């Protein structure tokens, strides 16, 4: 972190050298000492410090300087750095001007020259002023800063991406945060270039795609090896478990994720029924722990990359990525999971990412402070989101078509919701429309047998069921009528599918119709939609990978 700056200005080289020497002797451990030899140079230096967002703690300026006097320098410093302390250096003959400047330039103090000895005539005063400044000083954020519009879908995507990888960042709303405009002006970009990412190393990127941002963050975006024992596609709980067990058992393991680790479970604000965590943990924390564990054991984690095709050549599985590169592996574990179904109603598509969100969208919770929000859905994910949002929103409305939550939500969540005063259940209700010009402002809801009603809403979170993310693989692997991957006995028990299995042995429990390609987690037909079962299937898939590789 950069040290705050003490700036001293004097056109007399001997005086400037003396004050600089004394300041460095006393304050160099905690402050950077800058010295300039004229008023115009001081004004330019102040402008540069402001453009670079440098922390300025104190300015000492000599009064009698040609072109620009000390009071003018301190007045300019006040306009750029209102919290910085301002001290005028003056001779005895100029004390009247100094006293007048206390009011006109709002000086904090004036010091007479000479100040010898500094231990008595300089340091005590400056220590008091700097202690006062430190009491209110808030160091500038040293990590990634993201400047954008609150209701921009692209800004939302970048926030979700950074938070999904647990990358610390500072969000600056261009319309509300004064610092955002300053940073943007200094970078040479304008409002049309938003969102803009400011990196700690000084690099500034306008509207970056996730792949470029991942490269800059040091994430792996290209395979390191020519051939892997197993490639896991998808980094939800099942995929992360497969990667942990594959790497721990000595397999050359690569896991590929197109978005962020954790899948749908990763967006859960609190998972309270996972074994071994009696107080619960967030989905993001679980995903990050598993990701760290897998990489520590030797698995390679590639993201954000998407597998768009898979084929079998000479017994090897060849994966084609979105950037057209290819990866060769001996076995594959498909843990692509599921995605939320979209809701069809006027305004939803137009406002998606600008107040309308599919899933928890935890990064937008603070924007809902003291505002009403609506949640559509009655499953556990909807209940966890309602509990999380209730700490920010003035009111959380859960909209469901049925009569109650009992058929679709765990009992512990239903009890928590019933005990939370600012959560209200709206049974036998549907959302008919989302309203707003550039962001969500209201929703139109309709209860059974009643007329539609329009209500204010800051955000709408949609959890209306899921569909398997298997469209890209259905040409190769057999799926059921709903798109879920068929595995094991399901392939040979049904005459329609049994002819597709060519091996003499029966398929392994989690094996698809392609030998050596396995499926685990929510995208597999017959899977139980629970985090614990997904972790179990991902772990078990590695056992079958070993059996296949040993054939």
């Amino acid at each position: 972190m950069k040290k705050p700056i003490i700036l001293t200005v004097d056109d007399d080289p001997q005086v400037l050298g003396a004050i600089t020497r004394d300041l460095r002797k006393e304050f160099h451990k905690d402050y950077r000492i800058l010295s300039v030899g004229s008023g115009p140079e001081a004004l330019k230096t102040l402008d540069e410090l402001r453009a670079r967002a440098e922390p300025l703690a104190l300015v000492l300026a000599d009064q009698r300087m040609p072109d620009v006097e000390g009071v003018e320098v301190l007045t300019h410093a006040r306009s750029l750095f209102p919290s910085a302390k301002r001290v005028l250096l003056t001779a005895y003959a100029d004390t009247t001007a100094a006293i007048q400047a206390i009011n006109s330039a709002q000086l904090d103090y004036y010091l007479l020259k000479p100040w010898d000895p500094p231990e008595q005539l300089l340091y005590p005063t400056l220590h008091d002023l700097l202690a006062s400044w430190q009491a209110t000083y808030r160091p500038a954020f040293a990590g990634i800063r993201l400047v954008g519009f609150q209701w921009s879908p692209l800004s939302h995507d970048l926030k979700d991406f950074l938070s999904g990888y647990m990358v610390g960042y500072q969000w600056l709303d261009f319309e509300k945060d004064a610092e955002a405009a300053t940073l943007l002006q200094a970078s040479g970009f304008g409002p049309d270039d938003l969102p803009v990412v400011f990196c700690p190393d000084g690099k500034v990127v306008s509207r970056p795609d996730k792949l470029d941002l991942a490269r800059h963050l040091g994430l792996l975006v290209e395979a390191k090896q020519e051939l892997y024992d197993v490639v896991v596609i998808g980094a939800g709980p099942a995929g992360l478990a497969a990667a942990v067990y594959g790497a721990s058992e000595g397999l050359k393991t690569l896991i590929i994720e197109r978005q962020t680790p954790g899948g749908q479970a990763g967006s859960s604000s609190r998972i309270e029924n996972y074994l071994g965590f009696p107080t619960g943990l967030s989905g993001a924390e679980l995903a990050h722990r598993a990701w760290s564990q897998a990489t520590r054991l030797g698995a390679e984690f590639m993201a954000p990359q998407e597998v768009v095709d898979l084929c079998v050549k000479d017994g090897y599985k060849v994966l084609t990525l979105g950037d057209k590169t290819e990866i060769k592996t001996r076995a594959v574990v498909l843990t692509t999971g599921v995605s939320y179904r979209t809701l069809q109603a006027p305004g939803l598509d137009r406002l998606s990412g600008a107040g309308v969100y599919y899933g928890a969208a935890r990064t937008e919770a603070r924007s809902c402070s003291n505002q009403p929000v609506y949640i559509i859905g009655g499953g556990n994910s909807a209940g966890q989101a309602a509990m999380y949002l209730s700490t920010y929103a003035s009111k959380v409305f859960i909209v469901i078509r049925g009569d109650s939550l009992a058929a679709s939500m765990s009992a512990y969540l239903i009890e928590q919701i019933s005990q939370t005063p600012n959560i209200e259940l709206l049974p036998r209700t549907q959302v008919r429309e989302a309203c707003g010009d550039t962001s969500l402002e209201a929703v139109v809801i309709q209860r059974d047998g009643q007329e539609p009603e329009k209500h204010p809403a800051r955000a709408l979170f949609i959890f209306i069921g899921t569909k398997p993310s298997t469209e890209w693989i259905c040409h190769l692997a057999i799926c059921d009528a709903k798109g879920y991957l068929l595995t094991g006995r399901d392939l040979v028990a049904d005459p329609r599918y049994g002819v597709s299995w060519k091996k003499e042995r029966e398929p392994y429990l989690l094996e698809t119709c392609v030998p050596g390609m396995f499926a685990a987690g929510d995208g597999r037909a017959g899977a139980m939609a629970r985090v614990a079962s997904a972790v179990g299937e991902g772990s078990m898939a590695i056992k079958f990978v070993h059996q296949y590789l040993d054939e």
Side-chain angles (χ1 to χ4, degrees):
M1 185 176 298
K2 294 180 179 179
K3 293 180 182 179
I5 291 171
I6 296 176
L7 176 65
T8 181
V9 188
D10 202 304
D11 65 324
D12 187 326
Q14 290 186 337
V15 176
L16 183 62
I19 187 69
T20 302
R21 180 198 63 224
D22 289 343
L23 290 174
R24 285 177 178 166
K25 178 182 177 182
E26 183 71 6
F27 300 104
H28 76 280
K29 291 183 179 180
D30 300 312
Y31 298 89
R32 287 178 289 162
I33 313 300
L34 296 184
S35 58
V36 295
S38 69
E41 186 181 356
L43 299 181
K44 181 181 178 181
T45 300
L46 288 168
D47 291 336
E48 291 174 351
L49 293 177
R50 178 59 178 171
R52 298 200 304 265
E54 300 276 7
L56 180 65
L58 175 68
V59 183
L60 298 98
D62 180 52
Q63 169 58 12
R64 288 197 176 187
M65 293 187 295
D67 300 325
V68 177
E69 291 186 335
V71 172
E72 294 179 63
V73 171
L74 297 178
T75 301
H76 190 60
R78 178 173 175 266
S79 66
L80 298 181
F81 300 91
S83 63
K85 299 302 178 181
R86 297 170 296 281
V87 176
L88 191 67
L89 295 174
T90 180
Y92 182 81
D94 295 323
T95 53
T96 301
I99 293 172
Q100 292 175 348
I102 291 176
N103 294 324
S104 62
Q106 295 192 8
L107 299 185
D108 294 290
Y109 211 85
Y110 71 90
L111 291 171
L112 294 177
K113 299 188 291 185
W115 52 86
D116 190 48
E119 290 78 9
Q120 298 178 14
L121 301 179
L122 179 66
Y123 297 155
T125 299
L126 298 189
H127 274 298
D128 287 345
L129 292 173
L130 291 170
S132 176
W133 179 82
Q134 286 281 3
T136 58
Y137 169 55
R138 297 293 179 269
F141 184 73
I144 288 177
R145 287 180 285 184
L146 174 60
V147 178
F149 294 108
Q150 175 61 50
W151 305 115
S152 160
L154 184 52
S155 293
H156 166 69
D157 288 344
L158 291 176
K159 285 189 284 185
D160 260 7
F161 177 78
L162 291 170
S163 62
Y165 286 96
M166 288 196 167
V167 176
Y169 72 95
Q170 181 185 44
W171 162 249
L172 296 172
D173 187 341
F174 181 75
E175 297 177 313
K176 294 181 179 179
D177 297 307
E179 186 181 358
T182 302
L183 283 172
L184 204 62
Q185 183 179 10
S187 69
F189 289 113
D192 292 339
D193 301 310
L194 295 175
V196 174
V197 176
F198 294 81
C199 301
D201 62 1
K203 184 176 181 181
V204 182
V205 187
S206 170
R207 305 174 71 87
D209 63 36
K210 293 177 183 177
L211 200 59
D212 288 339
L213 189 54
R215 285 193 181 96
H216 196 73
L217 295 175
L219 298 177
L220 179 67
V221 296
E222 297 176 353
K224 292 183 177 180
Q225 303 184 49
E226 294 184 359
L227 176 65
Y228 291 89
D229 294 320
V230 59
V231 171
V232 183
I233 305 175
L240 290 167
V244 167
Y245 277 85
S248 67
E249 294 176 13
L251 298 177
K252 292 181 181 179
T253 304
L254 172 68
I255 183 168
I256 303 174
E257 170 57 45
R258 63 178 179 174
Q259 295 176 341
T260 55
Q264 285 191 341
S267 65
S268 296
S269 57
R270 180 62 52 179
I271 301 172
E272 298 192 49
N273 57 357
Y274 189 65
L275 183 67
F277 294 88
T279 60
L281 78 167
S282 71
E285 184 182 1
L286 177 63
H288 187 71
R289 285 170 179 258
W291 172 27
S292 301
Q293 187 177 15
T295 53
R296 181 181 64 83
L297 292 169
E300 295 178 21
F301 190 101
M302 181 186 294
Q305 284 278 23
E306 183 176 7
V307 180
V308 297
D309 193 23
L310 191 156
C311 64
V312 180
K313 294 181 181 179
D314 301 326
Y316 294 105
K317 284 73 177 171
V318 180
L319 286 61
T320 303
L321 305 182
D323 60 3
K324 307 303 181 183
T325 59
E326 292 185 347
I327 296 173
K328 185 183 292 185
T329 179
R330 300 168 66 193
V332 170
V333 180
L334 300 172
T335 57
T336 51
V338 294
S339 57
Y340 286 110
R341 296 185 183 277
T342 57
L343 180 64
Q344 301 303 314
L348 292 180
D349 286 344
R350 181 172 56 84
L351 297 174
S352 181
V356 175
Y357 308 102
Y358 288 90
R362 295 180 63 200
T363 55
E364 306 301 337
R366 292 188 182 277
S367 69
C368 302
S369 294
N370 302 316
Q371 301 285 332
V373 301
Y374 284 74
I375 293 174
I376 304 177
N380 279 0
S381 295
Q384 290 162 352
M387 291 300 302
Y388 181 72
L389 291 166
S390 68
T391 61
Y392 298 94
S394 59
K395 192 81 172 181
V396 179
F397 298 93
I398 302 178
V399 179
I400 60 171
R401 291 185 176 185
D403 294 326
S404 72
L405 298 170
S408 56
M409 189 178 293
S410 296
Y412 78 92
L413 270 175
I414 295 176
E415 182 178 358
Q416 289 179 358
I417 288 171
S418 67
Q419 296 175 355
T420 306
N422 65 333
I423 299 180
E424 181 178 342
L425 181 66
L426 301 179
R428 300 180 299 279
T429 304
Q430 297 184 55
V431 172
R432 296 300 188 188
E433 184 180 357
C435 308
D437 294 329
T438 58
S439 64
L440 183 70
E441 298 173 3
V443 294
V444 176
I445 62 173
Q446 184 177 19
R447 303 193 182 201
D448 287 354
Q450 299 183 19
E451 293 296 316
E453 300 176 350
K454 187 175 182 179
H455 296 276
R458 172 51 67 192
L460 174 65
F461 300 89
I462 303 173
F463 304 82
I464 59 166
T466 57
K467 60 179 180 179
S469 303
T470 56
E471 302 90 346
W472 65 278
I473 196 64
C474 282
H475 71 284
L476 184 63
I478 295 176
C479 300
D480 65 12
K482 295 182 179 180
Y484 291 91
L485 291 161
L486 291 172
T487 58
R489 289 290 301 169
D490 290 340
L491 290 170
V492 295
D494 192 317
R496 293 174 298 175
Y497 307 132
V499 295
S500 65
W501 182 254
K502 306 300 183 182
K503 286 250 181 187
E504 292 185 4
R505 65 167 175 82
E506 285 194 357
Y508 297 121
L509 182 62
L510 300 179
E511 196 168 20
T512 68
C513 65
V514 179
M517 186 168 77
F518 304 86
D522 292 355
R524 188 183 69 85
M528 182 183 297
R530 291 291 185 270
V531 174
S533 63
V535 170
E537 287 192 7
S539 308
M540 189 165 49
I542 297 301
K543 172 188 176 182
F544 299 127
V545 168
H546 276 294
Q547 292 179 352
Y548 169 76
L549 295 179
D550 290 340
E551 291 179 354

